[in-house]
Amino acid sequence: MGSQWGRDRFYRKARTEGYRSRAAYKLLDIQKRFQVIRDDDNVIDLGCAPGSWLQVLRELTEGQVIGIDLNPIVPIENVTALKGDFTTEHMHEKVRALIPEANVIVCDAAPKLSGHKSYDQARAVDLSEMALDFALDFLKPGGNFVVKTFQGDMFHLILKKMRDNFYGVKVYRSKAARKGSAEVYIIGKKFKGRQNDSEG
């Protein structure tokens, strides 16, 4: 499998340009198409390891950049990396101590895959919904949210919840995604605010 990834042009490009993984080009692609991040935005990256999205975020904004992951992150200059579970109240308190609200929240996290397609898709949608719940707690009204998920039986549930909470919602498959991957990104623009949260 190593040789397969070695032939991938985004993998090679990442190594040449100093990004920690090929995923950097997914965020750059999303930013070019949807302009989700402005140059003064405070941004939180959920499930940020190994840190390629943090590298891109640091280039795109002069605001605060915070990353959260269960795994430790090799430090990036002027980026705050927190080790822990972004779903816990303890982590919420740590984030609030740094910034009470964010302009943008992004999540490129994916669960460890088992190889069972329907199970993996369900777990991925569950993870993306947890990221959405975090965003509903921390986004400023008018803020933007980008989350990776996988198309499958439960996809419509998170899509509905996104549409309930954002004025603009798009589903996008990045040009940098691997061939055959079921991953897509849901981009939510202009958060309606917490008074419009949906229970569904």
Side-chain angles (χ1 to χ4, degrees):
M1 295 236 349
S3 61
Q4 179 185 350
W5 305 141
R7 290 195 298 270
D8 182 288
R9 72 184 180 95
F10 288 106
Y11 171 88
R12 294 196 303 270
K13 193 175 181 184
R15 293 193 61 155
T16 301
E17 297 185 356
Y19 290 120
R20 294 181 181 182
S21 82
R22 66 193 301 289
Y25 300 102
K26 299 177 186 179
L27 182 55
L28 287 165
D29 182 24
I30 290 166
Q31 173 66 7
K32 183 178 179 181
R33 187 174 178 96
F34 298 101
Q35 291 87 47
V36 290
I37 300 151
R38 294 167 300 190
D39 59 11
D40 60 349
D41 280 342
N42 294 328
V43 187
I44 301 172
D45 181 3
L46 306 176
C48 61
S52 63
W53 277 34
L54 292 175
Q55 290 175 294
V56 172
L57 292 169
R58 187 67 288 164
E59 295 168 3
L60 293 175
T61 178
E62 295 179 4
Q64 280 187 271
V65 176
I66 296 171
I68 306 170
D69 201 282
L70 294 171
N71 299 304
I73 303 294
V74 176
I76 297 170
E77 189 173 358
N78 295 322
V79 170
T80 301
L82 304 175
K83 182 177 180 293
D85 183 344
F86 71 77
T87 69
T88 65
E89 186 56 39
H90 174 66
M91 182 57 71
H92 286 205
E93 290 171 1
K94 288 176 78 170
V95 173
R96 283 189 211 285
L98 295 166
I99 50 169
E101 290 185 307
N103 305 96
V104 181
I105 294 173
V106 298
C107 180
D108 191 41
K112 287 193 169 127
L113 300 180
S114 68
H116 297 283
K117 187 175 179 182
S118 59
Y119 176 71
D120 288 338
Q121 286 176 343
R123 290 178 65 226
V125 171
D126 189 47
L127 180 59
S128 55
E129 189 163 8
M130 288 189 286
L132 174 55
D133 288 340
F134 182 99
L136 298 183
D137 281 342
F138 281 92
L139 269 182
K140 290 183 176 179
N144 300 329
F145 176 55
V146 176
V147 64
K148 178 165 74 180
T149 191
F150 292 81
Q151 291 182 313
D153 293 342
M154 297 172 63
F155 178 75
H156 69 284
L157 297 175
I158 187 164
L159 191 58
K160 179 186 182 303
K161 193 169 181 178
M162 289 285 291
R163 286 172 173 158
D164 287 342
N165 287 284
F166 294 86
Y167 287 109
V169 176
K170 299 287 186 183
V171 177
Y172 183 63
R173 177 176 166 79
S174 171
K175 296 184 180 77
R178 290 192 177 106
K179 286 182 181 177
S181 171
E183 75 176 32
V184 293
Y185 291 88
I186 306 178
I187 293 96
K189 297 193 76 173
K190 296 185 180 178
F191 175 46
K192 294 178 181 179
R194 273 163 280 284
Q195 71 272 19
N196 289 297
D197 287 357
S198 167
E199 295 299 320

